[in-house]
Amino acid sequence: MTVSVPPHDFDLASEVKGISRDGTTGAVATFVGLVREVPMTLEHYPGMTENAIRKIVDEACGRWQVKDCTVIHRYGELRPGDQIVLVAIASSHRGDAFAACQFIMDYLKTQAPFWKKEHHPDGARWVDARESDDRAAQRWRPASKGA
Amino acid sequence: MKVKVLFFARLREELGTSSEVIELPDSAGTVSGLRAHLMRRGEAWQRLLADGKSLKVAVNQDLAGAAVPLKAGDEVAFFPPVTGG
C-alpha cells in the first residue's frame, strides 16, 4: 500500500506497472482526477493528510479484497488538465477493485484535509464543500441495524 | 498549558496566521474551551470560529468534536470542510 502527497505530477502507466500483483491478481482499477476549467491552488495539512488517506485505505482493505493499492494526491499550483489524484487498486476480481476505488475517492473528498482555491479571471475564491460529496460518502456507511 | 494551534485555507487567510503556540487556562481544556478563548480576540475570530457546518477541528491530526479534552503539547487545527479529490 502506497500513499503519497507530492507537489509534482505522476505517471499513470508506471504507477499501474508498479502496483504489486501475483498470479491471483485479476484486476487493477484506477481513477485519475483532473483539474477542470479553472487554475487552482491546493492546500493541505501535512501529516494529517497522509494519515487520513491511510485510514481510508485501511477501511477499504477491511471491506473488500485488496491486494495492493496506490493513492497519490497532489498539492500546490495546478492548471486545467493537470492530474490531481490517482487511486489504483489491485484485486482478484473487478468487483472488489471497482468498489474499493470508488469508496476511497468518495471518502477522500470528505475526509482528507485538502482545500481548493480557484483562480478565476475576476479573483481567487475558496471552493465550498458540496453536499453531493457528503451524500456520496454516506452511501458507503453500513446500513443501520434497525432501531 | 501550551497548545499549538493551526489554521488552514480560508481561516488561515482571514485570520492572518497559520500557526501559533498559545497559553490556555487549564479551565479551558477542551476543544470548545479553546474555541471560546480564541473567539474573544475579535469580530473576525468570532465569525470564523462560530460553531456549525463550516468549521472542522482536528486534535493531533484526528477530527475531533467540541468536547474532546486537550492536554499540554496538543496540536489543534481549525479548518473549513475539505474540498480535495
PDB file of all heavy atoms in Angstrom, chain A residues 43-45 47-48 51 55 73 109-110 112 114-117 126-129 131, chain B residues 6 8-10 12-13 53 58 61-62 75 77 79-85:
ATOM      1  N   GLU A  43      -4.257  23.422  -1.097  1.00  0.00           N
ATOM      2  CA  GLU A  43      -3.580  23.464   0.210  1.00  0.00           C
ATOM      3  C   GLU A  43      -3.884  22.165   0.944  1.00  0.00           C
ATOM      4  O   GLU A  43      -4.943  21.566   0.744  1.00  0.00           O
ATOM      5  CB  GLU A  43      -4.124  24.668   0.994  1.00  0.00           C
ATOM      6  CG  GLU A  43      -3.528  24.834   2.378  1.00  0.00           C
ATOM      7  CD  GLU A  43      -3.961  26.166   3.019  1.00  0.00           C
ATOM      8  OE1 GLU A  43      -4.273  27.121   2.273  1.00  0.00           O
ATOM      9  OE2 GLU A  43      -3.984  26.229   4.263  1.00  0.00           O
ATOM     10  N   HIS A  44      -2.972  21.720   1.795  1.00  0.00           N
ATOM     11  CA  HIS A  44      -3.285  20.539   2.606  1.00  0.00           C
ATOM     12  C   HIS A  44      -2.639  20.658   3.977  1.00  0.00           C
ATOM     13  O   HIS A  44      -1.961  21.649   4.265  1.00  0.00           O
ATOM     14  CB  HIS A  44      -2.869  19.249   1.886  1.00  0.00           C
ATOM     15  CG  HIS A  44      -1.392  18.956   1.949  1.00  0.00           C
ATOM     16  ND1 HIS A  44      -0.893  17.826   2.550  1.00  0.00           N
ATOM     17  CD2 HIS A  44      -0.330  19.648   1.502  1.00  0.00           C
ATOM     18  CE1 HIS A  44       0.439  17.839   2.445  1.00  0.00           C
ATOM     19  NE2 HIS A  44       0.807  18.919   1.819  1.00  0.00           N
ATOM     20  N   TYR A  45      -2.882  19.673   4.810  1.00  0.00           N
ATOM     21  CA  TYR A  45      -2.400  19.665   6.196  1.00  0.00           C
ATOM     22  C   TYR A  45      -1.356  18.549   6.279  1.00  0.00           C
ATOM     23  O   TYR A  45      -1.710  17.394   6.495  1.00  0.00           O
ATOM     24  CB  TYR A  45      -3.596  19.397   7.106  1.00  0.00           C
ATOM     25  CG  TYR A  45      -3.364  19.365   8.608  1.00  0.00           C
ATOM     26  CD1 TYR A  45      -4.449  19.265   9.463  1.00  0.00           C
ATOM     27  CD2 TYR A  45      -2.097  19.421   9.185  1.00  0.00           C
ATOM     28  CE1 TYR A  45      -4.300  19.228  10.836  1.00  0.00           C
ATOM     29  CE2 TYR A  45      -1.929  19.391  10.553  1.00  0.00           C
ATOM     30  CZ  TYR A  45      -3.036  19.286  11.379  1.00  0.00           C
ATOM     31  OH  TYR A  45      -2.875  19.234  12.749  1.00  0.00           O
ATOM     32  N   GLY A  47       1.016  15.738   7.117  1.00  0.00           N
ATOM     33  CA  GLY A  47       0.949  14.825   8.262  1.00  0.00           C
ATOM     34  C   GLY A  47      -0.450  14.267   8.402  1.00  0.00           C
ATOM     35  O   GLY A  47      -0.663  13.071   8.219  1.00  0.00           O
ATOM     36  N   MET A  48      -1.405  15.138   8.673  1.00  0.00           N
ATOM     37  CA  MET A  48      -2.784  14.641   8.800  1.00  0.00           C
ATOM     38  C   MET A  48      -3.278  14.099   7.468  1.00  0.00           C
ATOM     39  O   MET A  48      -4.011  13.109   7.431  1.00  0.00           O
ATOM     40  CB  MET A  48      -3.723  15.735   9.291  1.00  0.00           C
ATOM     41  CG  MET A  48      -5.160  15.215   9.432  1.00  0.00           C
ATOM     42  SD  MET A  48      -6.307  16.396  10.172  1.00  0.00           S
ATOM     43  CE  MET A  48      -7.852  15.510   9.955  1.00  0.00           C
ATOM     44  N   ASN A  51      -2.090  10.584   6.990  1.00  0.00           N
ATOM     45  CA  ASN A  51      -2.753   9.692   7.958  1.00  0.00           C
ATOM     46  C   ASN A  51      -4.204   9.457   7.589  1.00  0.00           C
ATOM     47  O   ASN A  51      -4.711   8.335   7.697  1.00  0.00           O
ATOM     48  CB  ASN A  51      -2.684  10.287   9.369  1.00  0.00           C
ATOM     49  CG  ASN A  51      -1.265  10.336   9.883  1.00  0.00           C
ATOM     50  OD1 ASN A  51      -0.406   9.586   9.417  1.00  0.00           O
ATOM     51  ND2 ASN A  51      -1.009  11.222  10.828  1.00  0.00           N
ATOM     52  N   LYS A  55      -5.967   5.867   6.660  1.00  0.00           N
ATOM     53  CA  LYS A  55      -7.137   5.313   7.363  1.00  0.00           C
ATOM     54  C   LYS A  55      -8.216   4.893   6.363  1.00  0.00           C
ATOM     55  O   LYS A  55      -8.877   3.873   6.547  1.00  0.00           O
ATOM     56  CB  LYS A  55      -7.716   6.357   8.316  1.00  0.00           C
ATOM     57  CG  LYS A  55      -7.051   6.359   9.651  1.00  0.00           C
ATOM     58  CD  LYS A  55      -7.793   7.299  10.590  1.00  0.00           C
ATOM     59  CE  LYS A  55      -6.822   7.827  11.623  1.00  0.00           C
ATOM     60  NZ  LYS A  55      -7.252   9.086  12.208  1.00  0.00           N
ATOM     61  N   HIS A  73      -2.066  12.016  -4.138  1.00  0.00           N
ATOM     62  CA  HIS A  73      -2.872  13.240  -4.211  1.00  0.00           C
ATOM     63  C   HIS A  73      -1.921  14.422  -4.200  1.00  0.00           C
ATOM     64  O   HIS A  73      -1.160  14.599  -3.260  1.00  0.00           O
ATOM     65  CB  HIS A  73      -3.843  13.325  -3.033  1.00  0.00           C
ATOM     66  CG  HIS A  73      -4.969  14.292  -3.254  1.00  0.00           C
ATOM     67  ND1 HIS A  73      -4.758  15.605  -3.618  1.00  0.00           N
ATOM     68  CD2 HIS A  73      -6.304  14.136  -3.184  1.00  0.00           C
ATOM     69  CE1 HIS A  73      -5.931  16.215  -3.756  1.00  0.00           C
ATOM     70  NE2 HIS A  73      -6.890  15.344  -3.500  1.00  0.00           N
ATOM     71  N   LYS A 109     -12.821  12.761  -0.666  1.00  0.00           N
ATOM     72  CA  LYS A 109     -13.456  14.062  -0.911  1.00  0.00           C
ATOM     73  C   LYS A 109     -14.016  14.674   0.366  1.00  0.00           C
ATOM     74  O   LYS A 109     -14.186  15.888   0.428  1.00  0.00           O
ATOM     75  CB  LYS A 109     -14.598  13.901  -1.920  1.00  0.00           C
ATOM     76  CG  LYS A 109     -14.117  13.652  -3.316  1.00  0.00           C
ATOM     77  CD  LYS A 109     -14.828  14.594  -4.249  1.00  0.00           C
ATOM     78  CE  LYS A 109     -14.091  14.820  -5.513  1.00  0.00           C
ATOM     79  NZ  LYS A 109     -14.104  16.148  -6.015  1.00  0.00           N
ATOM     80  N   THR A 110     -14.342  13.850   1.345  1.00  0.00           N
ATOM     81  CA  THR A 110     -14.971  14.399   2.556  1.00  0.00           C
ATOM     82  C   THR A 110     -14.098  14.263   3.813  1.00  0.00           C
ATOM     83  O   THR A 110     -14.427  14.854   4.834  1.00  0.00           O
ATOM     84  CB  THR A 110     -16.320  13.702   2.849  1.00  0.00           C
ATOM     85  OG1 THR A 110     -16.086  12.298   2.989  1.00  0.00           O
ATOM     86  CG2 THR A 110     -17.304  13.919   1.713  1.00  0.00           C
ATOM     87  N   ALA A 112     -10.201  13.788   3.701  1.00  0.00           N
ATOM     88  CA  ALA A 112      -8.773  14.148   3.630  1.00  0.00           C
ATOM     89  C   ALA A 112      -8.646  15.678   3.610  1.00  0.00           C
ATOM     90  O   ALA A 112      -9.347  16.354   2.862  1.00  0.00           O
ATOM     91  CB  ALA A 112      -8.139  13.534   2.390  1.00  0.00           C
ATOM     92  N   PHE A 114      -7.718  18.549   2.361  1.00  0.00           N
ATOM     93  CA  PHE A 114      -7.275  19.360   1.221  1.00  0.00           C
ATOM     94  C   PHE A 114      -8.287  20.478   1.016  1.00  0.00           C
ATOM     95  O   PHE A 114      -9.491  20.276   1.239  1.00  0.00           O
ATOM     96  CB  PHE A 114      -7.271  18.527  -0.070  1.00  0.00           C
ATOM     97  CG  PHE A 114      -6.186  17.501  -0.150  1.00  0.00           C
ATOM     98  CD1 PHE A 114      -6.453  16.181   0.179  1.00  0.00           C
ATOM     99  CD2 PHE A 114      -4.918  17.835  -0.595  1.00  0.00           C
ATOM    100  CE1 PHE A 114      -5.470  15.211   0.084  1.00  0.00           C
ATOM    101  CE2 PHE A 114      -3.929  16.870  -0.696  1.00  0.00           C
ATOM    102  CZ  PHE A 114      -4.204  15.559  -0.351  1.00  0.00           C
ATOM    103  N   TRP A 115      -7.805  21.618   0.539  1.00  0.00           N
ATOM    104  CA  TRP A 115      -8.701  22.742   0.226  1.00  0.00           C
ATOM    105  C   TRP A 115      -8.294  23.341  -1.107  1.00  0.00           C
ATOM    106  O   TRP A 115      -7.120  23.663  -1.320  1.00  0.00           O
ATOM    107  CB  TRP A 115      -8.629  23.805   1.323  1.00  0.00           C
ATOM    108  CG  TRP A 115      -8.994  23.245   2.655  1.00  0.00           C
ATOM    109  CD1 TRP A 115     -10.261  23.103   3.155  1.00  0.00           C
ATOM    110  CD2 TRP A 115      -8.109  22.692   3.640  1.00  0.00           C
ATOM    111  NE1 TRP A 115     -10.200  22.519   4.388  1.00  0.00           N
ATOM    112  CE2 TRP A 115      -8.898  22.257   4.709  1.00  0.00           C
ATOM    113  CE3 TRP A 115      -6.717  22.534   3.713  1.00  0.00           C
ATOM    114  CZ2 TRP A 115      -8.343  21.669   5.850  1.00  0.00           C
ATOM    115  CZ3 TRP A 115      -6.170  21.944   4.833  1.00  0.00           C
ATOM    116  CH2 TRP A 115      -6.972  21.528   5.890  1.00  0.00           C
ATOM    117  N   LYS A 116      -9.306  23.522  -1.973  1.00  0.00           N
ATOM    118  CA  LYS A 116      -9.043  24.082  -3.303  1.00  0.00           C
ATOM    119  C   LYS A 116      -9.357  25.567  -3.316  1.00  0.00           C
ATOM    120  O   LYS A 116     -10.438  25.986  -2.883  1.00  0.00           O
ATOM    121  CB  LYS A 116      -9.951  23.414  -4.344  1.00  0.00           C
ATOM    122  CG  LYS A 116      -9.552  22.001  -4.691  1.00  0.00           C
ATOM    123  CD  LYS A 116     -10.567  21.391  -5.652  1.00  0.00           C
ATOM    124  CE  LYS A 116     -10.165  19.961  -5.981  1.00  0.00           C
ATOM    125  NZ  LYS A 116     -11.314  19.130  -6.303  1.00  0.00           N
ATOM    126  N   LYS A 117      -8.433  26.330  -3.868  1.00  0.00           N
ATOM    127  CA  LYS A 117      -8.693  27.748  -4.116  1.00  0.00           C
ATOM    128  C   LYS A 117      -8.611  27.972  -5.614  1.00  0.00           C
ATOM    129  O   LYS A 117      -7.552  27.768  -6.216  1.00  0.00           O
ATOM    130  CB  LYS A 117      -7.662  28.606  -3.389  1.00  0.00           C
ATOM    131  CG  LYS A 117      -7.991  30.080  -3.466  1.00  0.00           C
ATOM    132  CD  LYS A 117      -6.965  30.897  -2.703  1.00  0.00           C
ATOM    133  CE  LYS A 117      -7.518  32.292  -2.450  1.00  0.00           C
ATOM    134  NZ  LYS A 117      -6.539  33.112  -1.729  1.00  0.00           N
ATOM    135  N   TRP A 126     -12.102  30.411  -2.505  1.00  0.00           N
ATOM    136  CA  TRP A 126     -12.061  29.057  -1.959  1.00  0.00           C
ATOM    137  C   TRP A 126     -13.292  28.299  -2.428  1.00  0.00           C
ATOM    138  O   TRP A 126     -14.396  28.849  -2.445  1.00  0.00           O
ATOM    139  CB  TRP A 126     -12.023  29.090  -0.435  1.00  0.00           C
ATOM    140  CG  TRP A 126     -10.727  29.638   0.071  1.00  0.00           C
ATOM    141  CD1 TRP A 126     -10.490  30.910   0.502  1.00  0.00           C
ATOM    142  CD2 TRP A 126      -9.488  28.929   0.168  1.00  0.00           C
ATOM    143  NE1 TRP A 126      -9.172  31.039   0.869  1.00  0.00           N
ATOM    144  CE2 TRP A 126      -8.525  29.842   0.680  1.00  0.00           C
ATOM    145  CE3 TRP A 126      -9.077  27.625  -0.116  1.00  0.00           C
ATOM    146  CZ2 TRP A 126      -7.201  29.494   0.907  1.00  0.00           C
ATOM    147  CZ3 TRP A 126      -7.756  27.274   0.117  1.00  0.00           C
ATOM    148  CH2 TRP A 126      -6.837  28.190   0.618  1.00  0.00           C
ATOM    149  N   VAL A 127     -13.100  27.047  -2.771  1.00  0.00           N
ATOM    150  CA  VAL A 127     -14.211  26.197  -3.203  1.00  0.00           C
ATOM    151  C   VAL A 127     -14.991  25.756  -1.969  1.00  0.00           C
ATOM    152  O   VAL A 127     -14.400  25.359  -0.961  1.00  0.00           O
ATOM    153  CB  VAL A 127     -13.668  24.963  -3.956  1.00  0.00           C
ATOM    154  CG1 VAL A 127     -14.776  23.969  -4.274  1.00  0.00           C
ATOM    155  CG2 VAL A 127     -12.962  25.406  -5.231  1.00  0.00           C
ATOM    156  N   ASP A 128     -16.317  25.850  -2.043  1.00  0.00           N
ATOM    157  CA  ASP A 128     -17.153  25.384  -0.940  1.00  0.00           C
ATOM    158  C   ASP A 128     -17.347  23.872  -1.025  1.00  0.00           C
ATOM    159  O   ASP A 128     -17.455  23.329  -2.117  1.00  0.00           O
ATOM    160  CB  ASP A 128     -18.530  26.062  -0.990  1.00  0.00           C
ATOM    161  CG  ASP A 128     -18.434  27.523  -0.568  1.00  0.00           C
ATOM    162  OD1 ASP A 128     -17.657  27.817   0.370  1.00  0.00           O
ATOM    163  OD2 ASP A 128     -19.116  28.356  -1.182  1.00  0.00           O
ATOM    164  N   ALA A 129     -17.411  23.239   0.126  1.00  0.00           N
ATOM    165  CA  ALA A 129     -17.694  21.801   0.158  1.00  0.00           C
ATOM    166  C   ALA A 129     -19.105  21.578  -0.389  1.00  0.00           C
ATOM    167  O   ALA A 129     -19.984  22.425  -0.225  1.00  0.00           O
ATOM    168  CB  ALA A 129     -17.587  21.281   1.579  1.00  0.00           C
ATOM    169  N   GLU A 131     -22.648  19.312  -0.813  1.00  0.00           N
ATOM    170  CA  GLU A 131     -23.479  18.303  -0.133  1.00  0.00           C
ATOM    171  C   GLU A 131     -23.496  17.008  -0.917  1.00  0.00           C
ATOM    172  O   GLU A 131     -23.598  15.924  -0.347  1.00  0.00           O
ATOM    173  CB  GLU A 131     -24.911  18.821   0.009  1.00  0.00           C
ATOM    174  CG  GLU A 131     -24.979  20.098   0.817  1.00  0.00           C
ATOM    175  CD  GLU A 131     -25.997  20.027   1.935  1.00  0.00           C
ATOM    176  OE1 GLU A 131     -26.825  19.100   1.916  1.00  0.00           O
ATOM    177  OE2 GLU A 131     -25.935  20.883   2.826  1.00  0.00           O
TER     178      GLU A 131
ATOM    179  N   LEU B   6      -3.287  25.494  14.722  1.00  0.00           N
ATOM    180  CA  LEU B   6      -3.065  25.672  13.276  1.00  0.00           C
ATOM    181  C   LEU B   6      -4.354  26.110  12.607  1.00  0.00           C
ATOM    182  O   LEU B   6      -5.444  25.712  13.017  1.00  0.00           O
ATOM    183  CB  LEU B   6      -2.608  24.353  12.630  1.00  0.00           C
ATOM    184  CG  LEU B   6      -1.408  23.630  13.224  1.00  0.00           C
ATOM    185  CD1 LEU B   6      -1.171  22.304  12.480  1.00  0.00           C
ATOM    186  CD2 LEU B   6      -0.168  24.500  13.111  1.00  0.00           C
ATOM    187  N   PHE B   8      -6.098  26.626   8.582  1.00  0.00           N
ATOM    188  CA  PHE B   8      -5.898  26.318   7.174  1.00  0.00           C
ATOM    189  C   PHE B   8      -6.916  27.034   6.290  1.00  0.00           C
ATOM    190  O   PHE B   8      -8.010  27.381   6.728  1.00  0.00           O
ATOM    191  CB  PHE B   8      -6.002  24.805   6.930  1.00  0.00           C
ATOM    192  CG  PHE B   8      -4.845  24.042   7.491  1.00  0.00           C
ATOM    193  CD1 PHE B   8      -4.925  23.452   8.740  1.00  0.00           C
ATOM    194  CD2 PHE B   8      -3.654  23.950   6.791  1.00  0.00           C
ATOM    195  CE1 PHE B   8      -3.851  22.765   9.279  1.00  0.00           C
ATOM    196  CE2 PHE B   8      -2.566  23.274   7.313  1.00  0.00           C
ATOM    197  CZ  PHE B   8      -2.669  22.675   8.559  1.00  0.00           C
ATOM    198  N   ALA B   9      -6.525  27.182   5.029  1.00  0.00           N
ATOM    199  CA  ALA B   9      -7.386  27.675   3.961  1.00  0.00           C
ATOM    200  C   ALA B   9      -7.983  29.041   4.307  1.00  0.00           C
ATOM    201  O   ALA B   9      -7.260  29.953   4.692  1.00  0.00           O
ATOM    202  CB  ALA B   9      -8.466  26.629   3.614  1.00  0.00           C
ATOM    203  N   ARG B  10      -9.309  29.182   4.185  1.00  0.00           N
ATOM    204  CA  ARG B  10      -9.947  30.491   4.385  1.00  0.00           C
ATOM    205  C   ARG B  10      -9.657  31.039   5.794  1.00  0.00           C
ATOM    206  O   ARG B  10      -9.450  32.233   5.985  1.00  0.00           O
ATOM    207  CB  ARG B  10     -11.453  30.342   4.175  1.00  0.00           C
ATOM    208  CG  ARG B  10     -12.219  31.633   4.322  1.00  0.00           C
ATOM    209  CD  ARG B  10     -13.695  31.400   4.095  1.00  0.00           C
ATOM    210  NE  ARG B  10     -14.010  31.182   2.699  1.00  0.00           N
ATOM    211  CZ  ARG B  10     -14.862  30.265   2.238  1.00  0.00           C
ATOM    212  NH1 ARG B  10     -15.486  29.474   3.073  1.00  0.00           N
ATOM    213  NH2 ARG B  10     -15.087  30.146   0.956  1.00  0.00           N
ATOM    214  N   ARG B  12      -6.980  30.489   7.678  1.00  0.00           N
ATOM    215  CA  ARG B  12      -5.587  30.954   7.697  1.00  0.00           C
ATOM    216  C   ARG B  12      -5.479  32.345   7.066  1.00  0.00           C
ATOM    217  O   ARG B  12      -4.855  33.253   7.632  1.00  0.00           O
ATOM    218  CB  ARG B  12      -4.690  29.956   6.940  1.00  0.00           C
ATOM    219  CG  ARG B  12      -3.265  30.411   6.748  1.00  0.00           C
ATOM    220  CD  ARG B  12      -2.459  29.401   5.953  1.00  0.00           C
ATOM    221  NE  ARG B  12      -3.030  29.095   4.657  1.00  0.00           N
ATOM    222  CZ  ARG B  12      -3.026  29.917   3.610  1.00  0.00           C
ATOM    223  NH1 ARG B  12      -2.441  31.093   3.695  1.00  0.00           N
ATOM    224  NH2 ARG B  12      -3.595  29.563   2.475  1.00  0.00           N
ATOM    225  N   GLU B  13      -6.136  32.497   5.911  1.00  0.00           N
ATOM    226  CA  GLU B  13      -6.049  33.779   5.211  1.00  0.00           C
ATOM    227  C   GLU B  13      -6.723  34.904   5.986  1.00  0.00           C
ATOM    228  O   GLU B  13      -6.166  35.981   6.148  1.00  0.00           O
ATOM    229  CB  GLU B  13      -6.726  33.657   3.840  1.00  0.00           C
ATOM    230  CG  GLU B  13      -5.816  33.100   2.785  1.00  0.00           C
ATOM    231  CD  GLU B  13      -6.436  33.194   1.405  1.00  0.00           C
ATOM    232  OE1 GLU B  13      -7.622  33.585   1.266  1.00  0.00           O
ATOM    233  OE2 GLU B  13      -5.740  32.867   0.454  1.00  0.00           O
ATOM    234  N   LYS B  53     -21.566  23.947  10.536  1.00  0.00           N
ATOM    235  CA  LYS B  53     -21.091  23.041   9.500  1.00  0.00           C
ATOM    236  C   LYS B  53     -19.821  23.528   8.815  1.00  0.00           C
ATOM    237  O   LYS B  53     -19.127  22.762   8.177  1.00  0.00           O
ATOM    238  CB  LYS B  53     -22.185  22.862   8.435  1.00  0.00           C
ATOM    239  CG  LYS B  53     -23.198  21.803   8.832  1.00  0.00           C
ATOM    240  CD  LYS B  53     -24.450  21.840   7.993  1.00  0.00           C
ATOM    241  CE  LYS B  53     -24.176  21.722   6.508  1.00  0.00           C
ATOM    242  NZ  LYS B  53     -25.436  21.707   5.733  1.00  0.00           N
ATOM    243  N   ALA B  58      -9.396  19.393  14.241  1.00  0.00           N
ATOM    244  CA  ALA B  58      -8.637  18.155  14.435  1.00  0.00           C
ATOM    245  C   ALA B  58      -7.725  18.337  15.638  1.00  0.00           C
ATOM    246  O   ALA B  58      -7.132  19.403  15.823  1.00  0.00           O
ATOM    247  CB  ALA B  58      -7.812  17.828  13.199  1.00  0.00           C
ATOM    248  N   GLN B  61      -4.155  15.712  14.734  1.00  0.00           N
ATOM    249  CA  GLN B  61      -4.367  15.236  13.365  1.00  0.00           C
ATOM    250  C   GLN B  61      -5.502  14.224  13.206  1.00  0.00           C
ATOM    251  O   GLN B  61      -5.573  13.521  12.207  1.00  0.00           O
ATOM    252  CB  GLN B  61      -3.055  14.695  12.762  1.00  0.00           C
ATOM    253  CG  GLN B  61      -1.929  15.730  12.839  1.00  0.00           C
ATOM    254  CD  GLN B  61      -0.698  15.362  12.064  1.00  0.00           C
ATOM    255  OE1 GLN B  61      -0.581  14.254  11.554  1.00  0.00           O
ATOM    256  NE2 GLN B  61       0.237  16.292  11.964  1.00  0.00           N
ATOM    257  N   ASP B  62      -6.393  14.173  14.211  1.00  0.00           N
ATOM    258  CA  ASP B  62      -7.620  13.385  14.076  1.00  0.00           C
ATOM    259  C   ASP B  62      -8.805  14.322  14.237  1.00  0.00           C
ATOM    260  O   ASP B  62      -8.819  15.137  15.164  1.00  0.00           O
ATOM    261  CB  ASP B  62      -7.720  12.314  15.170  1.00  0.00           C
ATOM    262  CG  ASP B  62      -7.094  11.007  14.744  1.00  0.00           C
ATOM    263  OD1 ASP B  62      -7.243  10.646  13.556  1.00  0.00           O
ATOM    264  OD2 ASP B  62      -6.465  10.363  15.600  1.00  0.00           O
ATOM    265  N   GLU B  75      -1.708  19.438  19.376  1.00  0.00           N
ATOM    266  CA  GLU B  75      -1.797  20.227  18.144  1.00  0.00           C
ATOM    267  C   GLU B  75      -3.270  20.281  17.746  1.00  0.00           C
ATOM    268  O   GLU B  75      -3.887  19.241  17.509  1.00  0.00           O
ATOM    269  CB  GLU B  75      -0.967  19.544  17.049  1.00  0.00           C
ATOM    270  CG  GLU B  75      -1.027  20.239  15.702  1.00  0.00           C
ATOM    271  CD  GLU B  75      -0.108  19.565  14.680  1.00  0.00           C
ATOM    272  OE1 GLU B  75       1.128  19.596  14.872  1.00  0.00           O
ATOM    273  OE2 GLU B  75      -0.621  18.988  13.704  1.00  0.00           O
ATOM    274  N   ALA B  77      -6.049  21.886  15.118  1.00  0.00           N
ATOM    275  CA  ALA B  77      -6.192  22.570  13.831  1.00  0.00           C
ATOM    276  C   ALA B  77      -7.645  22.942  13.595  1.00  0.00           C
ATOM    277  O   ALA B  77      -8.551  22.144  13.853  1.00  0.00           O
ATOM    278  CB  ALA B  77      -5.686  21.676  12.703  1.00  0.00           C
ATOM    279  N   PHE B  79     -10.233  24.318  10.545  1.00  0.00           N
ATOM    280  CA  PHE B  79     -10.275  24.471   9.083  1.00  0.00           C
ATOM    281  C   PHE B  79     -11.695  24.312   8.562  1.00  0.00           C
ATOM    282  O   PHE B  79     -12.563  23.779   9.252  1.00  0.00           O
ATOM    283  CB  PHE B  79      -9.324  23.478   8.405  1.00  0.00           C
ATOM    284  CG  PHE B  79      -9.389  22.053   8.880  1.00  0.00           C
ATOM    285  CD1 PHE B  79     -10.377  21.191   8.426  1.00  0.00           C
ATOM    286  CD2 PHE B  79      -8.444  21.565   9.783  1.00  0.00           C
ATOM    287  CE1 PHE B  79     -10.419  19.867   8.853  1.00  0.00           C
ATOM    288  CE2 PHE B  79      -8.484  20.236  10.224  1.00  0.00           C
ATOM    289  CZ  PHE B  79      -9.471  19.390   9.754  1.00  0.00           C
ATOM    290  N   PRO B  80     -11.932  24.781   7.314  1.00  0.00           N
ATOM    291  CA  PRO B  80     -13.260  24.612   6.715  1.00  0.00           C
ATOM    292  C   PRO B  80     -13.442  23.171   6.232  1.00  0.00           C
ATOM    293  O   PRO B  80     -12.465  22.414   6.168  1.00  0.00           O
ATOM    294  CB  PRO B  80     -13.242  25.570   5.514  1.00  0.00           C
ATOM    295  CG  PRO B  80     -11.888  26.201   5.483  1.00  0.00           C
ATOM    296  CD  PRO B  80     -11.005  25.494   6.444  1.00  0.00           C
ATOM    297  N   PRO B  81     -14.669  22.795   5.856  1.00  0.00           N
ATOM    298  CA  PRO B  81     -14.882  21.474   5.262  1.00  0.00           C
ATOM    299  C   PRO B  81     -13.938  21.264   4.081  1.00  0.00           C
ATOM    300  O   PRO B  81     -13.644  22.207   3.350  1.00  0.00           O
ATOM    301  CB  PRO B  81     -16.339  21.528   4.797  1.00  0.00           C
ATOM    302  CG  PRO B  81     -16.984  22.523   5.713  1.00  0.00           C
ATOM    303  CD  PRO B  81     -15.933  23.549   5.982  1.00  0.00           C
ATOM    304  N   VAL B  82     -13.481  20.032   3.918  1.00  0.00           N
ATOM    305  CA  VAL B  82     -12.417  19.766   2.941  1.00  0.00           C
ATOM    306  C   VAL B  82     -12.991  19.687   1.523  1.00  0.00           C
ATOM    307  O   VAL B  82     -14.163  19.359   1.328  1.00  0.00           O
ATOM    308  CB  VAL B  82     -11.663  18.476   3.310  1.00  0.00           C
ATOM    309  CG1 VAL B  82     -11.106  18.590   4.725  1.00  0.00           C
ATOM    310  CG2 VAL B  82     -12.556  17.244   3.185  1.00  0.00           C
ATOM    311  N   THR B  83     -12.123  19.999   0.552  1.00  0.00           N
ATOM    312  CA  THR B  83     -12.580  20.049  -0.843  1.00  0.00           C
ATOM    313  C   THR B  83     -11.545  19.453  -1.795  1.00  0.00           C
ATOM    314  O   THR B  83     -11.310  19.977  -2.882  1.00  0.00           O
ATOM    315  CB  THR B  83     -12.881  21.495  -1.270  1.00  0.00           C
ATOM    316  OG1 THR B  83     -11.715  22.300  -1.037  1.00  0.00           O
ATOM    317  CG2 THR B  83     -14.042  22.087  -0.496  1.00  0.00           C
ATOM    318  N   GLY B  84     -10.897  18.361  -1.372  1.00  0.00           N
ATOM    319  CA  GLY B  84      -9.890  17.752  -2.250  1.00  0.00           C
ATOM    320  C   GLY B  84     -10.512  16.800  -3.246  1.00  0.00           C
ATOM    321  O   GLY B  84     -11.715  16.823  -3.494  1.00  0.00           O
ATOM    322  N   GLY B  85      -9.666  15.948  -3.811  1.00  0.00           N
ATOM    323  CA  GLY B  85     -10.117  14.916  -4.738  1.00  0.00           C
ATOM    324  C   GLY B  85     -10.224  15.419  -6.164  1.00  0.00           C
ATOM    325  O   GLY B  85     -10.010  16.579  -6.440  1.00  0.00           O
TER     326      GLY B  85
END
